[in-house]
Amino acid sequence: MSATPSPARPQDPEVRDRPTGADRARQVVVTLSEIACVLGTLVGIGIFGTRVEESSGGDLAADATLLAPAGPAFSIWSVIYLGLAAYTVWQWLPSRATDPRLRATGWLAAASMLLNAGWLLVTQQGWIWASVVVIVALVLVLGLLVDRLQRVPGRDGAADRIVVDGTFGLYLGWVAVATAANVAAALVSSGVPQEGRGAEWIGVVVVLVLAAVVAAVQARGGGRWAVAAASAWGAAGGGPGGPRASGAPFPRQPTSRPRMRNL
């Protein structure tokens, strides 16, 4: 007579919630990516390389396009970078190692930081259209990340909303605005005039595409205040020849150097 098998015992919660090797790998990669992002920013502000407004043959200078945001608009980068640093520390907290939201977003967060740094390195080489490819990839990664945040709700109220939702919502909204400026700079680099009726219509088309992208993200993400706030902030700071600032993948302050074209 065969013995009756005993019913399966539920897994101990402490064992179930113990960080896995994949969790630890994710934490390390996010941290290394944050370091790369900081180093890329130092390149972008001219400490280790050429400032963005002086790279790419001057195509990212303040007078390059009609869609250059005004200098004060770039103060949002301080908030975003602080948020990325906070996210990096947040994911190392013992209670966060197995957080479903961090498991869902960690690798994408790391990719966004690397793409941010990559944009700066690409512009150092003067590859303006390659920079468009990189920043579009960054928008797609951030869009997917924010979509996952919608699918995996936070569990700790305000802290989670600020550190995770707030950071990446602002990040996505601002990069969407920056993509429009980057595309405009690439068009000017290819010979499209930056003044006149044609340039104005191109600017209108780029802005409408930007608005459609933001609207799609908002519709899919359930209306995220941070995305809308950053997009509105960037759009309000735009204007012909507006000064540019910051060491991120976006236009900067004007330079007194003579403008040089790509060879």
Side-chain angles (χ1 to χ4, degrees):
M1 182 176 181
S2 60
T4 303
S6 59
R9 297 177 60 187
Q11 190 176 18
D12 188 334
E14 292 185 2
V15 174
R16 185 175 63 248
D17 295 334
R18 185 176 298 166
T20 65
D23 290 322
R24 296 308 185 195
R26 184 191 70 249
Q27 291 172 313
V28 171
V29 170
V30 168
T31 303
L32 294 176
S33 299
E34 167 67 2
I35 293 172
C37 185
V38 172
L39 292 176
T41 301
L42 296 179
V43 171
I45 63 178
I47 294 179
F48 296 146
T50 303
R51 292 186 300 171
V52 169
E53 68 269 27
E54 298 172 1
S55 66
S56 299
D59 291 316
L60 296 172
D63 60 350
T65 75
L66 296 173
L67 299 180
F74 288 90
S75 61
I76 195 174
W77 260 118
S78 299
V79 180
I80 294 171
Y81 280 141
L82 180 62
L84 291 176
Y87 177 88
T88 302
V89 174
W90 178 266
Q91 53 127 28
W92 277 106
L93 296 178
S95 62
R96 297 292 158 183
T98 60
D99 189 328
R101 298 194 101 203
L102 299 185
R103 282 176 167 172
T105 63
W107 295 104
L108 292 173
S112 75
M113 297 173 191
L114 293 176
L115 286 168
N116 193 312
W119 187 95
L120 291 159
L121 297 179
V122 165
T123 59
Q124 292 287 304
Q125 303 301 316
W127 301 335
I128 188 69
W129 278 106
S131 73
V132 172
V133 174
V134 174
I135 203 168
V136 168
L138 178 55
V139 169
L140 293 176
V141 167
L142 290 172
L144 180 57
L145 190 157
V146 170
D147 180 63
R148 289 190 179 181
L149 291 179
Q150 175 67 18
R151 294 171 182 269
V152 186
R155 67 185 187 187
D156 285 333
D160 197 72
R161 288 196 298 270
I162 292 172
V163 174
V164 183
D165 297 81
T167 294
F168 290 102
L170 291 176
Y171 198 2
L172 173 58
W174 182 248
V175 171
V177 172
T179 301
N182 203 160
V183 170
L187 291 172
V188 170
S189 173
S190 297
V192 176
Q194 62 170 318
E195 298 178 354
R197 183 70 64 182
E200 292 175 358
W201 277 109
I202 290 175
V204 169
V205 171
V206 172
V207 170
L208 288 176
V209 171
L210 165 64
V213 170
V214 173
V217 170
Q218 289 293 81
R220 187 173 179 84
R224 293 195 163 261
W225 64 267
V227 176
S231 299
W233 178 265
R244 306 171 181 186
S246 157
F250 307 96
R252 307 289 187 87
Q253 295 176 348
T255 175
S256 59
R257 288 190 177 185
R259 187 171 177 197
M260 300 175 61
R261 303 303 302 173
N262 289 329
L263 298 179

